[in-house]
Amino acid sequence: MLPEHAPFTTDQRLALDSLIAGLNPVQRGWLSGFLAASGSVAAVSAPVSAGKLTVLYGTESGNSEVLADRAVKAAKKRGFQANMKNMSEFSPADLAKSPSLLVIVSTWGDGEPPETAISFYKEFMSADVSLAKVSYSVCGLGDTAYEKFCQVGKDFDARLEGLGASRVFARQDCDVDYEDSFTTWLEGSLTALAPASAVPVAEVAVAGYSSSTVEYGKKNPFPSEVLESVLLNGEGSSKETLHLEFSLASSGLSYEPGDALAVVPVNAPDTIKAVLGAAKLTGNEEIELKGGEIKLLADALREDFDITALSRAVLTKLADACDSAALRELLADDAKERLKEFNHGREIIDALLEFAPNGLSAAALVGIFRKLPPRLYSIASSQLAHPDEVHLTVAAVRYETHGRKRKGVCSTFLADLVKSGDAVSLFVQPNKNFRLPADPATPIIMVGPGTGVAPFRAFVEHRAASGASGKNWLFFGDQHYTYDFLYQLEWQEQLKEGVLTKLDVAFSRDQPEKVYVQDRMIQQAEELYQWLEAGAHFYVCGDANRMASDVHEALVTVVQTQAGLTHEAAESYVENLKKTKRYQRDVY
Ligand SMILES: Cc1cc2nc3c(=O)[nH]c(=O)nc-3n(C[C@H](O)[C@H](O)[C@H](O)COP(=O)(O)OP(=O)(O)OC[C@H]3O[C@@H](n4cnc5c(N)ncnc54)[C@H](O)[C@@H]3O)c2cc1C
Ligand SMILES: NC(=O)c1ccc[n+]([C@@H]2O[C@H](COP(=O)([O-])OP(=O)(O)OC[C@H]3O[C@@H](n4cnc5c(N)ncnc54)[C@H](OP(=O)(O)O)[C@@H]3O)[C@@H](O)[C@H]2O)c1
Ligand SMILES: Cc1cc2nc3c(=O)[nH]c(=O)nc-3n(C[C@H](O)[C@H](O)[C@H](O)COP(=O)(O)O)c2cc1C
């Protein structure tokens, strides 16, 4: 949809919106290429110099980096000498040299900075530097489903102000559907930093499209055919882990080992039925979507909206929609702990049943939802080994809370609703922070319990297909050897062929006491340390809540005991591995 500030009359804007909405991706690509070629969109003239601008970003899964790149391009069009800087390569002292500063940073873990921004964040929060000459604005990326929504953006904003910098434009806290809010923020920030340079960002963005071929990506996911879906666990297992293969034929999509695939799910029929029941609606009501499209409510609940994830943002909108005093009380500033407790294990349906017992109108119901976000999955294949395919390893999320059976939207969409031959919308989300060593002779150590093994299947396949000579050591863990040894035959084959140099497994529930991958690391401490000293890169993938920190501690212990260091010195050895990109994590 064209933004309201686009340089058109309302009638023109509506006519263009309706025309564009009716075009398919090929037609859109052709039209933008045609306009570019005919010079129709080259009318943005470079304005007077607007000075130096630093766009500082902190990212884990790449969104902030993409937006920083867009910010730099838009700023250059306005005459700024703009540069983008990754927080991983920036110091607080550099900030004082940045008279105009835009910060774009995401939040991870439980309100924490992205992995690659942790050092900068720590230094910055305790830095003693005057930023009196710096003008800035912050854009935080986050997800309202998390309690500490955009916490890191908030922290940067407050700290910059505390160090004397001048906020020229209000911070923007972006949810997962950040397109409009980011554009508004960028437009406002650039105008505030150099008012004379004003060129609408949307105009610049439009001028950027010149390709006449269809490009698949976040804005235009590829409808990929499902080639295969296989349950990896044996009968009797309490796990449900799928191996999925998708076709990339004629998509033009490419990926590297370490990248993730974003899958665009739809909501399940029983979830939709339950939400409709709670709202006392049939699904046959017509509703209007943001771009003006009219849809049946049931279809919109299936394809467009996040109808499950409960958050303060959803409850705030619901409080208005159902005018509930009890809900307003729960949302009060002094009831944060009560709200956290209420949200735990509950979904939107629970809130509807509790606070809107008389139901809602169709318009009011869709008014409380946000857009259905895609989910990321670590890619489990190498494109060298499977040129036209991409593979995933997906654990179906199913649990029961507050007397109701629950299921994860995307993992069970893939497990229950998708079969071979179906089309699933997807796009590649590059992850530059999780990469094989540039030198193929460098040894690698991979720790990937459960679905954490996914990217390591890609790593090993890639090293085999490219003939890399470096040694490969995998630590894998899951509940039972008999049912849960994911990709067992492939690993055994690769061991036999010498592609996999070492494989250590930890089956947690095959004996009375738990055995985890970190226990195997400690048992192998001497050799593990030798590999590290020989330059090995160390990778961890899987559960962020407990496994990643336990494995980190085990790594420190290995270094401490083998090198005879103090705990502090071992910590700094490991920190140095991180800084030199020899210790990389992909945890979720
Ligand atoms: C970079 C990255 C890579 C990833 N790679 C993989 C991968 O390779 N394989 C894989 O399977 N997943 C992977 N994930 C996780 C994946 O993106 C999804 O988060 C996962 O599939 C769940 O999504 P869903 O839509 O099924 O569940 P959702 O509908 O999003 O529901 C999940 C939510 O349910 C709640 N929940 C879950 N279990 C419980 C419980 N027991 N009690 C109470 N509440 C609970 C939590 O709030 C949780 O956030 C990755 C995530 C990231 C960020
Ligand atoms: N964000 C989400 O919604 C989402 C969705 C899917 C998965 N995940 C995360 O991704 C992880 C991968 O899921 P998965 O089902 O494939 O595997 P998993 O639950 O991580 O289990 C794999 C193995 O790791 C073990 N384990 C448990 N705690 C550990 C620890 N502290 N250190 C090392 N190993 C530990 C498990 O043992 P036991 O089971 O015997 O304890 C099991 O043997 C999950 O743990 C989950 O946190 C998140
Ligand atoms: C495991 C995980 C933890 C997250 N934790 C938070 C959080 O605490 N607060 C928040 O606002 N967003 C959180 N997010 C959402 C991310 O900030 C959001 O996806 C963002 O767009 C990522 O941007 P990036 O690709 O630049 O890192 C989390 C996402 C994941 C996958």
Side-chain angles (χ1 to χ4, degrees):
M1 203 173 82
L2 292 173
E4 277 181 20
H5 56 64
F8 301 107
T9 64
T10 305
D11 284 351
Q12 284 174 325
R13 200 157 45 79
L14 293 175
L16 281 168
D17 276 342
S18 127
L19 172 71
I20 293 167
L23 299 180
N24 65 31
V26 177
Q27 292 168 325
R28 282 183 201 207
W30 186 91
L31 184 62
S32 58
F34 171 77
L35 290 174
S38 66
S40 309
V41 280
V44 183
S45 56
V48 287
S49 170
K52 277 190 180 170
L53 172 73
T54 303
V55 180
L56 181 64
Y57 68 93
T59 189
E60 182 134 347
S61 55
N63 294 331
S64 305
E65 185 175 2
V66 170
L67 296 184
D69 182 56
R70 270 173 53 190
V72 164
K73 285 187 176 131
K76 282 185 175 164
K77 295 265 179 197
R78 289 178 173 226
F80 284 93
Q81 288 166 264
N83 277 304
M84 63 192 268
K85 298 279 179 198
N86 191 333
M87 287 184 184
S88 65
E89 285 152 6
F90 209 68
S91 79
D94 295 328
L95 283 174
K97 299 177 217 148
S98 313
S100 293
L101 174 72
L102 294 182
V103 177
I104 304 172
V105 65
S106 61
T107 297
W108 280 74
D110 183 19
E112 287 137 38
E115 185 95 19
T116 53
I118 291 175
S119 293
F120 177 76
Y121 176 90
K122 278 190 193 151
E123 280 175 41
F124 180 55
M125 290 302 151
S126 57
D128 185 15
V129 49
S130 168
L131 301 182
K133 292 190 179 141
V134 176
S135 299
Y136 79 95
S137 185
V138 174
C139 177
L141 258 58
D143 181 339
T144 47
Y146 287 89
E147 196 201 337
K148 293 183 182 155
F149 175 52
C150 285
Q151 186 59 48
V152 175
K154 290 174 187 167
D155 293 349
F156 270 106
D157 190 30
R159 183 72 185 155
L160 282 161
E161 186 179 40
L163 291 173
S166 309
R167 184 189 303 105
V168 292
F169 195 72
R171 186 188 71 242
Q172 180 73 53
D173 298 333
C174 296
D175 199 357
V176 282
D177 177 21
Y178 46 70
E179 203 51 48
D180 290 351
S181 43
F182 172 76
T183 305
T184 307
W185 170 79
L186 182 57
E187 173 104 50
S189 301
L190 291 177
T191 304
L193 286 167
S197 73
V199 172
V201 166
E203 202 173 320
V204 172
V206 171
Y209 291 108
S210 61
S211 159
S212 59
T213 56
V214 182
E215 265 193 32
Y216 292 108
K218 189 170 189 164
K219 285 188 187 158
N220 184 25
F222 174 63
S224 162
E225 184 189 340
V226 179
L227 301 173
E228 195 152 336
S229 172
V230 184
L231 182 64
L232 293 173
N233 307 95
E235 217 178 304
S237 172
S238 60
K239 308 290 288 279
E240 188 184 341
T241 318
L242 299 154
H243 172 76
L244 289 136
E245 300 188 355
F246 300 92
S247 168
L248 292 184
S250 69
S251 69
L253 291 177
S254 63
Y255 61 85
E256 286 186 50
D259 286 345
L261 192 73
V263 174
V264 183
V266 297
N267 286 303
D270 53 342
T271 311
I272 297 166
K273 196 171 159 205
V275 168
L276 284 171
K280 303 198 186 314
L281 295 165
T282 64
N284 291 323
E285 300 81 358
E286 284 192 335
I287 55 113
E288 186 178 339
L289 295 175
K290 227 173 166 188
E293 188 189 348
I294 306 291
K295 248 190 184 180
L296 278 187
L297 176 63
D299 293 339
L301 296 191
R302 180 174 179 276
E303 294 154 13
D304 298 294
F305 295 116
D306 180 348
I307 62 173
T308 52
L310 193 57
S311 64
R312 174 180 283 276
V314 168
L315 288 175
T316 304
K317 287 183 263 177
L318 180 62
D320 288 340
C322 65
D323 198 19
S324 161
L327 183 47
R328 287 211 178 89
E329 227 171 83
L330 189 63
L331 289 163
D333 274 349
D334 59 0
K336 282 190 178 134
E337 274 310 306
R338 265 205 317 131
L339 178 65
K340 190 173 164 186
E341 210 175 288
F342 178 82
N343 282 353
H344 186 76
R346 285 193 171 84
E347 293 180 326
I348 290 178
I349 181 149
D350 304 276
L352 288 172
L353 291 169
E354 178 137 0
F355 299 114
N358 301 322
L360 290 176
S361 70
L365 178 70
V366 298
I368 70 169
F369 299 136
R370 63 175 184 171
K371 208 171 142 189
L372 182 58
R375 267 61 167 181
L376 296 182
Y377 295 93
S378 314
I379 290 177
S381 53
S382 157
Q383 215 165 7
L384 282 186
H386 311 275
D388 275 337
E389 294 177 11
V390 60
H391 303 174
L392 300 182
T393 315
V394 176
V397 172
R398 301 185 203 272
Y399 57 98
E400 192 166 336
T401 46
H402 304 285
R404 189 176 272 276
K405 285 202 162 115
R406 321 271 176 177
K407 55 188 188 183
V409 173
C410 192
S411 59
T412 63
F413 158 69
L414 292 170
D416 302 343
L417 302 178
V418 159
K419 53 185 187 325
S420 296
D422 288 351
V424 169
S425 295
L426 43 84
F427 58 92
V428 173
Q429 178 95 8
N431 182 357
K432 291 186 195 158
N433 303 315
F434 204 71
R435 286 281 180 259
L436 277 165
D439 180 354
T442 304
I444 60 171
I445 302 164
M446 301 162 281
V447 182
T451 53
V453 80
F456 303 135
R457 182 176 182 268
F459 276 22
V460 175
E461 275 192 355
H462 198 80
R463 286 198 136 198
S466 61
S469 61
K471 294 192 289 179
N472 305 307
W473 185 354
L474 174 67
F475 288 89
F476 172 73
D478 217 319
Q479 292 181 354
H480 296 287
Y481 171 86
T482 322
Y483 322 118
D484 306 317
F485 197 162
L486 310 182
Y487 303 113
Q488 177 183 9
L489 296 180
E490 289 186 18
W491 300 129
Q492 283 168 344
E493 191 59 30
Q494 280 156 339
L495 270 174
K496 214 163 71 187
E497 286 170 6
V499 179
L500 194 57
T501 320
K502 268 177 85 71
L503 173 65
D504 278 283
V505 289
F507 291 99
S508 53
R509 303 191 188 188
D510 275 347
Q511 58 287 305
E513 75 290 352
K514 293 264 178 165
V515 176
Y516 289 151
V517 280
Q518 60 270 29
D519 300 315
R520 298 293 182 228
M521 285 169 57
I522 299 287
Q523 283 165 1
Q524 302 274 336
E526 190 179 343
E527 192 169 353
L528 206 156
Y529 182 66
Q530 281 167 5
W531 278 52
L532 290 176
E533 284 292 280
H537 286 209
F538 187 84
Y539 300 91
V540 184
C541 180
D543 174 41
N545 291 331
R546 293 161 305 147
M547 183 277 291
S549 48
D550 291 352
V551 166
H552 177 90
E553 267 317 305
L555 182 62
V556 173
T557 304
V558 165
V559 172
Q560 184 180 349
T561 54
Q562 296 304 308
L565 298 175
T566 61
H567 189 78
E568 210 183 6
E571 286 266 18
S572 86
Y573 179 106
V574 170
E575 193 51 44
N576 194 44
L577 288 180
K578 261 194 189 167
K579 278 207 171 119
T580 52
K581 302 197 169 118
R582 286 179 50 206
Y583 174 18
Q584 301 183 6
R585 304 200 300 182
D586 176 21
V587 295
Y588 44 88

